[in-house]
Amino acid sequence: MSVLGVGSTVFGRHPDQGAVELAVAAARQAILEANVARERIGAVYLGNFVGGVLTGQEVLAGLVADGLGLRDVPCTKVEGACASGGIAFRHAVLSVAAGLCDVALAVGVEKMSHAGTAAVTQALNCALDHMADGPSGLTYPGLFALLWQAHARRYGTTREQVSAVCIKNRRNGLTNPIASMGSEITADMIANAAMIADPLTLYDCCPISDGAAAVVVGLPELARGSRADPVRVLASVQTSGGARIAAHGDLTSFRATCAAAERAYAAAGIGPEDVNFVELHDCFSIAEIIDAEDLGLVPRGEGGRWALEGRTDRGGDVAINPSGGLEAKGHPVGATGIGQIYEAVQQLRHRHPNQVTGARIGMTHNLGGTGVACTVNILGRE
């Protein structure tokens, strides 16, 4: 299976464009780069989480296909909270792998910045189990603050170590033209920023954003016609985990990520030591540390130390979020998983503005809700 083409909008604020316009723009880029006739596209999968809640518009997959001039094509919107984009990509891969079509299009999109913080928070809380967790009043910043506290108690993770994640990712975002929040920040700035949920401050949290990304996948023999270097899909795995907070016996790990990583390595025939870089789900700074450990890329309990020592920078042992991640790019929820694929493909083509030297194998990781849905993909150079 090959990635034939990718496209992405800038992740940020798009006051003059709606979700459909953003998605069509990203998909057009991907189709142009793939250099395939549109009539060869046999399926469209669109990842979106809160379009209906925040914009009042559903049937987005069909609207996007119509905007692209695709006719009589099965169009499916998929939703898995923050993992919606990753699931859309996997469905596209499976459609081609199953022989249902030669080419499939995966798109991810979200339009969020027009809504106020309270409305966005309420919408994102749709990913909680309202019967079990709703009465607690807990939001996602509160949840990840609890995870940080648990990680600190068990492993001694410090504010300085977690700040190193923020500093690295915002710095990477400065040189990524599709990132909205790149900046030079200091440990003092992070520690003294507005407290969101102790110990998370403002710089520990990814920003609300709009954006879209798209990927065309197809049979390997079609890769010869692509306008860019093709990239192989070595593994595409989806798992489920605890749908409610009480289902997590260990607040320092997500079971869904551990299972997805194990299966992805087995499918690709590699180990974590073979991965050159990863674009993972850093919705909050502490999430990068936990995710890296769950993926087996960093020893358990040492994620904070590795970040502080620079071992997760572009020139370190394994480059984590060289794009800037969600913290620098923003988190247009439905688009994030596809956006990670976009970044990984550019790395493997050796065309990324934050290029990881010699990158040959890359990974993406997209996590939704309280860990209820997870996708892990492994990509490699042709």
Side-chain angles (χ1 to χ4, degrees), residues 9-349:
T9 69
V10 173
F11 281 18
R13 293 183 178 272
H14 293 274
D16 300 323
Q17 289 181 287
V20 174
E21 294 170 282
L22 291 167
V24 167
R28 282 176 175 159
Q29 292 178 33
I31 294 169
L32 178 64
E33 188 176 84
N35 196 29
V36 295
R38 296 197 181 195
E39 55 267 23
R40 295 207 70 165
I41 298 174
V44 176
Y45 294 95
L46 184 139
N48 179 263
F49 177 36
V50 287
V53 174
L54 291 182
T55 71
Q57 181 64 66
E58 288 288 6
V59 298
L60 290 172
L63 288 172
V64 170
D66 186 65
L68 294 168
L70 301 178
R71 300 288 181 266
D72 303 323
V73 174
C75 304
T76 308
K77 173 189 164 181
V78 300
E79 181 275 309
C82 301
S84 298
I87 296 170
F89 175 74
R90 180 170 181 269
H91 281 8
V93 169
L94 290 177
S95 287
V96 178
L100 300 178
C101 56
D102 294 340
V103 181
L105 172 66
V107 187
V109 67
E110 209 73 68
K111 177 74 176 177
M112 305 171 72
S113 70
H114 64 287
T117 301
V120 171
T121 299
Q122 184 175 10
L124 295 178
N125 274 4
C126 290
L128 289 170
D129 183 327
H130 282 263
M131 294 296 291
D133 294 333
S136 72
L138 197 64
T139 62
Y140 282 98
L143 170 61
F144 279 86
L146 291 176
L147 300 184
W148 181 343
Q149 292 170 17
H151 203 275
R153 283 194 300 271
R154 181 173 300 179
Y155 301 114
T157 306
T158 66
R159 168 76 268 183
E160 184 184 20
Q161 291 173 343
V162 180
S163 292
V165 171
C166 305
I167 293 167
K168 169 182 66 71
N169 289 353
R170 298 296 177 111
R171 183 178 63 241
N172 285 343
L174 274 176
T175 44
N176 185 351
I178 62 173
S180 63
M181 294 294 286
S183 59
E184 290 285 359
I185 56 175
T186 66
D188 284 344
M189 290 170 62
I190 298 165
N192 295 321
M195 184 64 68
I196 304 301
D198 192 14
L200 294 171
T201 71
L202 182 64
Y203 287 113
D204 291 302
C205 309
C206 66
I208 295 168
S209 303
D210 311 326
V215 181
V216 175
V217 297
L219 296 173
E221 53 264 35
L222 297 176
R224 290 188 293 272
S226 175
R227 299 179 189 271
D229 297 335
V231 168
R232 293 297 300 274
V233 181
L234 304 179
S236 186
V237 173
Q238 179 183 349
T239 56
S240 61
R244 55 196 64 86
I245 297 169
H248 295 271
D250 183 355
L251 288 180
T252 67
S253 177
F254 289 102
R255 186 177 74 247
T257 298
C258 297
E262 181 179 350
R263 294 175 193 177
Y265 291 133
I270 66 167
E273 67 279 1
D274 298 309
V275 174
N276 302 122
F277 69 90
V278 60
E279 291 288 338
L280 58 71
H281 203 90
D282 63 320
C283 48
F284 300 92
S285 51
I286 186 62
E288 175 167 312
I289 291 171
I290 292 173
D291 296 341
E293 294 175 3
D294 283 345
L295 292 168
L297 300 171
V298 173
R300 182 67 65 185
E302 297 188 27
R305 183 173 66 83
W306 275 44
L308 186 60
E309 293 175 354
R311 298 177 69 175
T312 58
D313 286 355
R314 275 181 277 159
D317 295 64
V318 58
I320 297 181
N321 286 328
S323 70
L326 285 63
E327 290 217 345
K329 287 186 69 178
H331 184 23
V333 178
T336 291
I338 303 285
Q340 293 172 331
I341 299 291
Y342 173 90
E343 302 288 352
V345 167
Q346 302 293 44
Q347 285 284 356
L348 293 169
R349 290 173 174 167

